[in-house]
Amino acid sequence: MDKIIYVIGHKNPDTDSVCAAISYARFKKAKGENNIVAAKAGNINPQTEFALNFLGVQPPLSLVDVVPRVFQAMVKNVVSRHKETSLKEILQLMEEENIRLIPVVDEHESYCGMVSLFDVAHEFRKEANPENCREIFTSIKHIHESLGGELLCAYNEVQAFQGEYLVGAMREESFKNVLTTVDPQKCIIITGDRLNIQKAAILQKVKALIVTGGFSVSEEILDMARQHRVNLLISPYDTSTTVGLIRLSTPVYRVAQNHDGHLHVDEYLDEARLKILNSYNRGMVV
């Protein structure tokens, strides 16, 4: 689409100025230039209004100034996602759409915050801190969506919870000792084809047991999970990949930022540019 070209006279326009703008715009359009628009730099006086009414011509568009404004540069076809969307889907969307910022909205399409690639990376920096490296905030539903695989037992799968994960890759005795240091109701156990570890986790009534490597579980384990109301999932991935995908099951609202305010459509672009440069994500909503 061609950019609009405005034909405009002087400020505080008189009849000559307004009629000249209208006439020249009509002349250019008659030559096939359809992106020409007549304008006026101020309110018209009574004499000009009388002349236009007499000729049956609409007054031209009013332009107070020609300084670029936000609405002329903003992106309108914005890609956004619901606040419950997982970080895994957010990263996939950023890659597919080649974007680095995604607005987060609620069920009413109201703005909740902004998430950037930096925000997601910051969330993963927790791995370097031994005090909270295993902390997660997610739901069984989000974990299942992130991993795929099979959900064999599900209890309160939609309800979000804050807890931690443990990898059952040690001897049974060591594993049982580690379990005494956590709250089982908020703990997810990730293990492979280790029957004794699976049994120990279920008997402690952990939040969820995830069996990695695509290994199936015995009927005994399935019955125990149902009896103790333990969420039971089969992950098609190895343990390392499973851990990463579980962390990516966090809903995006947990990391979205909303501390930069917003821009108005009529703000001058130069002023908006300074706000954007000083913003957290080098981008703002309008």
Side-chain angles (χ1 to χ4, degrees):
M1 181 179 179
D2 292 333
K3 292 183 179 180
I4 295 176
I5 297 175
Y6 296 99
V7 178
I8 191 168
H10 54 69
K11 295 176 67 176
N12 303 316
D14 54 15
T15 304
D16 289 346
S17 173
V18 173
C19 291
I22 294 173
S23 301
Y24 191 60
R26 293 251 182 126
F27 170 73
K28 298 292 281 185
K29 284 185 177 181
K31 295 185 67 177
E33 299 181 48
N34 294 319
N35 59 328
I36 309 297
V37 175
K40 55 184 172 63
N43 296 324
I44 58 177
N45 58 39
Q47 292 86 352
T48 305
E49 184 177 8
F50 172 81
L52 294 178
N53 288 337
F54 181 81
L55 296 170
V57 177
Q58 290 293 322
L61 176 71
S62 291
L63 287 180
V64 178
D65 59 56
V66 290
V67 180
R69 296 178 186 267
V70 167
F71 75 88
Q72 295 171 293
M74 68 185 185
V75 176
K76 296 180 180 179
N77 56 332
V78 178
V79 177
S80 63
R81 280 298 180 269
H82 190 272
K83 64 180 182 178
E84 293 289 346
T85 303
S86 70
L87 293 182
K88 178 187 176 185
E89 185 177 334
I90 292 295
L91 286 177
Q92 289 174 336
L93 185 64
M94 286 180 172
E95 183 175 2
E96 292 169 1
E97 299 290 337
N98 193 28
I99 53 179
R100 61 183 181 86
L101 293 174
I102 297 179
V104 179
V105 299
D106 62 17
E107 57 274 12
H108 304 295
E109 293 293 318
S110 296
Y111 176 71
C112 298
M114 184 93 73
V115 65
S116 68
L117 193 59
F118 176 80
D119 296 321
V120 179
H122 182 74
E123 176 71 9
F124 272 76
R125 284 181 57 198
K126 292 192 301 186
E127 287 186 347
N129 186 349
E131 294 183 2
N132 62 1
C133 64
R134 298 196 308 267
E135 288 183 359
I136 52 172
F137 186 94
T138 185
S139 67
I140 300 301
K141 177 178 179 292
H142 276 109
I143 291 175
H144 183 217
E145 290 174 348
S146 186
L147 292 175
E150 297 180 75
L151 180 58
L152 300 179
C153 295
Y155 304 97
N156 298 323
E157 65 267 31
V158 179
Q159 184 178 359
F161 66 93
Q162 183 161 359
E164 59 183 312
Y165 64 86
L166 286 174
V167 176
M170 67 281 287
R171 292 184 300 109
E172 180 184 355
E173 196 62 34
S174 300
F175 178 71
K176 289 180 178 179
N177 290 334
V178 172
L179 275 181
T180 62
T181 66
V182 300
D183 180 357
Q185 293 294 318
K186 297 180 180 180
C187 188
I188 294 175
I189 303 301
I190 305 166
T191 190
D193 190 18
R194 293 171 175 250
L195 183 60
N196 290 337
I197 297 294
Q198 295 172 11
K199 286 183 177 180
I202 293 174
L203 289 175
Q204 288 296 318
K205 299 180 180 180
V206 296
K207 180 70 176 179
L209 171 63
I210 300 176
V211 179
T212 62
F215 291 113
S216 60
V217 296
S218 65
E219 285 297 324
E220 180 186 10
I221 291 296
L222 186 56
D223 290 340
M224 287 179 63
R226 289 168 177 163
Q227 180 183 348
H228 292 86
R229 295 180 63 82
V230 172
N231 294 283
L232 178 59
L233 299 91
I234 305 296
S235 169
Y237 304 101
D238 59 44
T239 299
S240 177
T241 304
T242 297
V243 169
L245 289 173
I246 288 175
R247 298 195 65 194
L248 282 174
S249 69
T250 301
V252 66
Y253 75 84
R254 291 286 296 183
V255 301
Q257 305 290 332
N258 189 15
H259 48 53
D260 280 333
H262 63 274
L263 301 174
H264 192 272
V265 289
D266 286 328
E267 283 190 63
Y268 291 131
L269 203 55
D270 279 349
E271 295 175 359
R273 182 174 61 85
L274 292 176
K275 291 182 180 180
I276 292 171
L277 287 174
N278 291 316
S279 66
Y280 175 79
N281 280 318
R282 296 295 193 272
M284 300 176 69
V285 295
V286 181

